[in-house]
Amino acid sequence: MKYVLSIDQGTTSSRVILVDQHGKVVSSAQQEFQQHFPQPGYVLHDPIEIFETILQSINNCIKLSNIQVADIVSIGITNQRETTVIWDKATGLPVYPAIVWQSRQSDEIIKKWCAQLGTSYIHQKTGLVPDAYFSAGKISWILENVHGVSQKAQNGELLFGTIDTWLMWKLSGGKIHATDVSNASRTMIFNIHNMCWDEELLAAFNIPKSLLPIVQDSCSDFGFTDPQICGIHLPISGVAGDQQAALFGQTCFNPGLVKNTYGTGCFMLMNIGDTPVISNNGLLTTVAWKINGKTTYALEGSVFVAGSAVQWIRDQLGFLPTAFDSEKIASSVDDNGGVYFVPAFVGLGAPYWDQEARGAFFGLTRGSNKAHLTRAVLESMAYQTRDVMQLMQQEAQLPITEIRVDGGAAMNNLLMQFQADQLQCKVNRPENTESTAIGAAFLAGLHVGVWKDLDEIRALRLDDKVFYPNLSNHASDEFYFRWKRAVEACRFFK
Ligand code: ADP
C-alpha cells in the first residue's frame, strides 16, 4: 500500500492526514495555534508557531497510523490563502509576523493603488477585485512599516511567501523557494493570462522581484523535505490554496462543476475550464490548478456570514446547545412561518456589495418561536448561495446541474434539502467531507503515479448523500422572492 501525507494549514489550525491509495484517510492529527489581534483590524499569526504545529501534526499523524515512513510516497500541501510571510534568507527568521488574509492593515495601500492605477486595470490582469485581503498590499505594508526591511529587500536579502511557500522552505531546510499557480493567483501581482509575476504591477507596487518564489504547476516536483523532518527525504509534489484544493478534492474536473463549502462563511468555486472569464459583478477569477502544463480557471464567490450566524444564535441568543442541534430544532416546525433572516453582520457581498447594510429578522408574529428563527437562519445560507450561484451561472454561461458540498454546516440535512429546493439542482455530499486535505493528497499522488489520471481519482470520491429538489420551481421562487424583499428592506434601514 502506498500513502500520501497531506498537510492542511488553515486559519485556526494545522491539520495533517495520511491517505492511502484507495483515497481513505488512515490517520489524522490537528493542532490549533494562537491568533493575534494587536490593533483593531489587524490579524497576525506567528510563522514559527505555525511551522511547529505542522511538525507536531506530521509526527502525530504518522505515529497514529502505524505505517513505515518509507511507505509515504509523496507530500501534498494546502493552505490558508493570501496570508503573507517575509523572512530573512540568511537567518530564516520572519521580519514581521504573518499578516493573515483577514487583516485589514493594508486598506490604505489598496485605496492608494486603486486611485493610481484604477481597479479595473488590476482586476483585468489578476482576476481579483483589489482588496486588503490579497498578499500584495500586505507585502507593501511590511516593506513600508518595518524598520530596515525595505533596504534589505532591495539588496535581495529577503524572501516572500504565502504559507505554502513558507512551509516548503522550512520543510526543505531552506532549499525550496516555490509556490504553485493557485496560490500565486491570490497575491494580486500574478498575471493569470500569461501565468507569470506581472512586471508592471511589481513596478507600480514597488515590490522587488527578488522577493518572489518561483511559480510551479500544482502537480510538480517542488523538492524534498529535509531528513530531519521524517527521517528520510520525502518529495513534495502537490500544492494548492485551500479553496482550489477543495474543488480538486470534490473532483470538479470539468467546466460547470461547482463546489460550495459551508463553514464560517461559504466559498463557492466553479470550474470554468481553460479560459479566464473576468466577472463584472464582483466574483473573482482565480487559477484552480495547472497540471501537465494545462491551466484550469475557476470563478469564486463568497458569502461572508453562513455558519457563523448559527454560532450567533447559539452563543448570543442562546437558542441552541450546539450548532448540530440547529437541524433538530428547525425541523420541529413545518416551515419558516414567514420569518426571514438577513445575516448582514458585516454588510452584504455578491451580488449586493453593500458594506453598510446590517442584519435583521423579518416577518415576526406573536407565534414566531426559536424554531422559526433558527430555520430562517439556516435558510439564509441557502438563499445567499442561490444569489452567488445565479451570478456565476450567468457570468460563466455554463448551466449548473449539481453542486458538491462540504464544510461543517453541510452536515445539516435540513439545510442541504432546502438548498436543493432553492437551486433546483442536485446537492451532492461526499462520504469524506475533508475535501481540502484530500484535494492536496490527490494532487501530490497524481504527480507521483499513485493515481494514474483524473478518471482514477474521480472514482475515489464516494457520495454520502445526494439531495434532489423536492419543491416545485414555483414554490421555491416564492421563498426566494420573500428573501429578496427582506434583503431590500434591510438595505433600506441605515
Ligand atoms: P471553518 O472551517 O470556517 O471554521 P467548519 O467547516 O469547521 O468551519 O464549520 C463550522 C461552522 O459550521 C460553524 O460556524 C458552525 O456554526 C457551523 N455548523 C457546524 N455544524 C453545523 C450543523 N449541523 N448545522 C448548521 N451549522 C453547522
Side-chain angles (χ1 to χ4, degrees):
M1 185 67 90
K2 291 176 187 164
Y3 300 89
V4 178
L5 189 82
S6 178
I7 296 175
D8 177 2
Q9 205 302 303
T11 310
T12 55
S13 72
S14 295
R15 195 168 162 71
V16 173
I17 67 171
L18 197 66
V19 178
D20 70 17
Q21 65 198 65
H22 304 303
K24 293 269 176 276
V25 178
V26 178
S27 62
S28 67
Q30 182 163 349
Q31 215 170 323
E32 293 198 0
F33 53 87
Q34 274 207 318
Q35 310 286 316
H36 301 275
F37 311 105
Q39 284 188 49
Y42 283 46
V43 187
L44 305 177
H45 290 160
D46 175 358
I48 303 283
E49 185 189 4
I50 285 186
F51 179 63
E52 279 164 3
T53 60
I54 289 290
L55 275 188
Q56 280 161 15
S57 302
I58 291 176
N59 285 329
N60 292 342
C61 183
I62 294 176
K63 233 183 263 161
L64 284 169
S65 70
N66 284 323
I67 67 143
Q68 302 298 318
V69 175
D71 293 330
I72 300 175
V73 291
S74 176
I75 294 183
I77 298 179
T78 178
N79 54 289
Q80 51 167 321
R81 303 176 302 173
E82 297 110 11
T83 298
T84 295
V85 189
I86 295 184
W87 66 96
D88 188 306
K89 214 188 264 187
T91 65
L93 294 176
V95 298
Y96 187 76
I99 304 186
V100 181
W101 57 275
Q102 297 155 318
S103 188
R104 304 305 308 175
Q105 68 204 81
S106 48
D107 268 338
E108 290 307 314
I109 294 173
I110 302 299
K111 276 191 203 140
K112 188 180 74 188
W113 289 347
C114 287
Q116 276 170 5
L117 302 169
T119 52
S120 158
Y121 177 78
I122 303 171
H123 186 193
Q124 291 299 327
K125 281 173 176 280
T126 63
L128 306 174
V129 180
D131 194 272
Y133 210 81
F134 306 111
S135 313
K138 301 179 194 295
I139 298 175
S140 178
W141 190 96
I142 295 176
L143 296 183
E144 285 177 15
N145 291 281
V146 184
H147 181 68
V149 161
S150 176
Q151 189 57 51
K152 279 193 167 176
Q154 296 299 339
N155 297 346
E157 294 169 37
L158 304 181
L159 299 175
F160 150 78
T162 40
I163 294 293
D164 54 316
T165 305
W166 167 246
L167 291 180
M168 282 194 274
W169 197 83
K170 292 291 285 177
L171 288 169
S172 65
K175 292 207 170 65
I176 308 174
H177 187 228
T179 189
D180 92 296
V181 288
S182 72
N183 275 295
S185 77
R186 312 298 296 186
T187 56
M188 217 172 80
I189 41 177
F190 188 72
N191 187 311
I192 61 167
H193 306 279
N194 66 15
M195 302 294 281
C196 292
W197 297 119
D198 191 278
E199 304 280 352
E200 287 170 359
L201 287 177
L202 290 175
F205 298 164
N206 202 14
I207 295 176
K209 204 171 175 189
S210 60
L211 279 175
L212 306 181
I214 57 161
V215 185
Q216 297 190 199
D217 285 14
S218 319
C219 279
S220 56
D221 297 320
F222 287 89
F224 290 86
T225 57
D226 190 278
Q228 283 198 333
I229 306 290
C230 315
I232 56 172
H233 287 289
L234 283 174
I236 301 171
S237 54
V239 176
D242 54 9
Q243 298 306 322
Q244 289 96 328
L247 190 69
F248 200 81
Q250 288 274 22
T251 67
C252 293
F253 301 147
N254 298 335
L257 287 177
V258 174
K259 75 92 194 169
N260 196 26
T261 301
Y262 298 77
T264 308
C266 284
F267 280 96
M268 187 184 283
L269 266 74
M270 178 198 242
N271 180 324
I272 55 169
D274 57 11
T275 312
V277 174
I278 302 290
S279 162
N280 297 316
N281 293 292
L283 299 179
L284 305 177
T285 310
T286 202
V287 176
W289 49 74
K290 191 172 171 194
I291 298 174
N292 290 332
K294 191 170 166 283
T295 304
T296 298
Y297 294 91
L299 272 180
E300 173 171 330
S302 49
V303 164
F304 302 145
V305 177
S308 57
V310 178
Q311 287 172 333
W312 176 71
I313 52 167
R314 182 193 65 193
D315 303 338
Q316 252 71 26
L317 303 189
F319 281 5
L320 315 165
T322 69
F324 181 77
D325 294 298
S326 61
E327 180 170 347
K328 201 166 80 201
I329 292 177
S331 304
S332 69
V333 285
D334 291 337
D335 56 31
N336 63 18
V339 180
Y340 288 78
F341 175 62
V342 184
F345 295 151
V346 289
L348 288 163
Y352 312 105
W353 299 110
D354 185 344
Q355 285 200 20
E356 270 102 55
R358 288 297 173 263
F361 277 105
F362 292 94
L364 299 176
T365 65
R366 184 63 184 81
S368 306
N369 60 32
K370 70 176 179 185
H372 294 115
L373 270 64
T374 301
R375 195 158 178 137
V377 166
L378 294 177
E379 289 182 0
S380 72
M381 290 194 233
Y383 299 129
Q384 293 182 96
T385 295
R386 179 168 170 178
D387 285 338
V388 174
M389 194 184 97
Q390 284 183 343
L391 257 190
M392 254 182 200
Q393 199 156 248
Q394 205 180 308
E395 302 225 319
Q397 300 278 312
L398 288 168
I400 296 172
T401 54
E402 170 185 293
I403 68 163
R404 300 183 178 178
V405 298
D406 49 53
M411 293 301 129
N412 190 310
N413 293 316
L414 178 97
L415 168 62
M416 292 300 110
Q417 182 56 53
F418 190 73
Q419 187 69 85
D421 293 340
Q422 272 306 308
L423 301 180
Q424 293 288 304
C425 78
K426 281 188 288 184
V427 169
N428 182 324
R429 184 173 66 200
E431 249 179 31
N432 186 340
T433 50
E434 294 209 60
S435 311
T436 309
I438 283 284
F442 285 167
L443 285 166
L446 181 63
H447 190 66
V448 298
V450 175
W451 302 291
K452 74 174 189 301
D453 55 23
L454 295 182
D455 286 336
E456 209 171 296
I457 292 178
R458 205 178 272 119
L460 300 175
R461 182 192 178 281
L462 302 175
D463 296 346
D464 162 43
K465 193 162 173 168
V466 181
F467 299 84
Y468 294 89
N470 203 348
L471 201 66
S472 72
N473 226 328
H474 177 72
S476 162
D477 285 351
E478 296 255 298
F479 279 106
Y480 189 60
F481 174 76
R482 304 288 300 159
W483 156 257
K484 289 290 221 190
R485 291 294 292 269
V487 171
E488 253 174 70
C490 141
R491 297 181 68 184
F492 186 71
F493 180 81
K494 278 181 189 156

